[in-house]
Amino acid sequence: MRYLTSGDIYRIFKQEDSGTIIRRNNVRRIALQNGIKHTISQNIILIDSKDFFEKVNPYNLEVHEYSIPKLRCIEDCAREWNNNRKTGDRFIHPDEIREFLKTDTTVFKYRYSNKWIVNYSQLLPHLKKMNRHESKMWKKYMQCLGIKKSVTPRKK
Amino acid sequence: MYLPRLRRISDVLKEVKQVDPYTCLNYKMLVTLMKQGVITPLKYGNAWVINMDELLLFVNGKKEIKQ
């Protein structure tokens, strides 16, 4: 149990991370508001460093993560693919993506209110595989309309 | 020693939108994630403080959620 001043904690954070929001008054406030063990002696707040770092990092992370993925809802995923597809690639309907995500466990998805937020960067390789095969959904839709045009993607 | 990269919500959104301007991430979603306990909720005054590494690990599907 090692007690540190807010200035010590601030200097430790500043060395590692220049963009941190940690400042001396923030550290004191965080300690007071989040139930971190501290003592006050002669107008100086001494903060229990072990408790502070446990509260700030309860999941015991050890590695920094820097990759920022593209997050989209399902309709936006389909829209992004359809707007940026290359010649010869077919359109993909959002319902195809929904069907795929029902059984898949590799792509990150999170339900926020009534929408699913999907990691588009993880989904993209799966869309490329989907693109190689004919879509039963589009074929049925074309048959209903009486369009005889082929929906198979052009072979490159 | 690992030190978390702590940012305010507005700073998180600025950083993410620099890389991906059409992202779905917004203020309310981050607050919801904190209230659900998915991301460690830390507050000073009225401002929420987020660990960037935790958020990015969660969004990349690499983080286990404590229940």
Side-chain angles (χ1 to χ4, degrees):
Chain A
M1 194 166 63
R2 193 177 151 212
Y3 283 99
L4 296 173
T5 61
S6 52
D8 295 333
I9 294 176
Y10 162 60
R11 278 183 282 276
I12 292 170
F13 271 90
K14 198 180 170 188
Q15 246 181 356
E16 281 270 332
D17 178 20
S18 54
T20 187
I21 55 113
I22 292 285
R23 302 286 185 269
R24 285 181 297 170
N25 48 349
N26 295 352
V27 172
R28 285 177 223 136
R29 218 173 187 184
I30 288 171
L32 292 167
Q33 270 189 305
N34 293 286
I36 296 170
K37 286 181 206 161
H38 62 280
T39 55
I40 300 174
S41 76
Q42 293 180 344
N43 297 332
I44 299 169
I45 296 179
L46 294 168
I47 298 162
D48 181 2
S49 57
K50 193 182 172 191
D51 199 28
F52 181 84
F53 288 113
E54 264 174 29
K55 284 265 159 65
V56 152
N57 182 24
Y59 288 96
N60 295 321
L61 300 177
E62 287 165 12
V63 181
H64 290 290
E65 178 71 25
Y66 296 104
S67 63
I68 298 176
K70 289 184 179 179
L71 294 175
R72 304 278 185 277
C73 57
I74 294 176
E75 283 82 11
D76 285 345
C77 287
R79 198 173 295 134
E80 181 141 353
W81 169 268
N82 294 334
N83 288 342
N84 299 326
R85 64 190 185 92
K86 294 177 187 169
T87 347
D89 288 343
R90 67 173 178 89
F91 288 98
I92 290 179
H93 196 275
D95 287 347
E96 291 180 68
I97 299 177
R98 268 185 210 105
E99 279 298 317
F100 168 75
L101 288 173
K102 275 181 191 172
T103 49
D104 181 69
T105 52
T106 55
V107 176
F108 165 78
K109 55 184 184 286
Y110 172 71
R111 191 173 172 93
Y112 174 62
S113 66
N114 63 342
K115 285 190 179 175
W116 282 96
I117 308 291
V118 176
N119 185 336
Y120 183 74
S121 315
Q122 288 176 349
L123 181 66
L124 192 58
H126 297 283
L127 292 181
K128 287 180 182 171
K129 277 186 202 168
M130 227 186 270
N131 166 55
R132 286 184 221 139
H133 306 293
E134 201 178 276
S135 165
K136 291 175 192 172
M137 213 176 282
W138 283 119
K139 200 175 180 183
K140 206 176 173 184
Y141 178 65
M142 299 284 223
Q143 272 175 359
C144 291
L145 293 175
I147 298 169
K148 289 179 187 172
K149 195 175 174 182
S150 167
V151 293
T152 49
R154 231 185 289 165
K155 279 183 187 173
K156 289 178 189 175
Chain B
M1 186 178 131
Y2 170 79
L3 288 173
R5 292 192 295 146
L6 297 175
R7 304 280 186 274
R8 276 182 289 254
I9 292 186
S10 52
D11 298 333
V12 169
L13 292 173
K14 236 187 246 179
E15 240 178 271
V16 170
K17 285 195 175 170
Q18 249 181 359
V19 174
D20 179 22
Y22 300 110
T23 187
C24 265
L25 217 55
N26 56 28
Y27 182 90
K28 273 193 174 177
M29 186 178 162
L30 290 171
V31 172
T32 310
L33 285 174
M34 281 192 277
K35 285 183 179 172
Q36 287 174 352
V38 172
I39 300 172
T40 312
L42 268 179
K43 217 174 178 189
Y44 79 90
N46 286 329
W48 289 100
V49 174
I50 289 182
N51 181 353
M52 273 294 278
D53 298 325
E54 223 178 291
L55 173 68
L56 293 176
L57 282 170
F58 170 69
V59 147
N60 282 315
K62 294 176 190 170
K63 187 181 168 231
E64 290 168 10
I65 303 165
K66 267 188 197 172
Q67 289 181 1

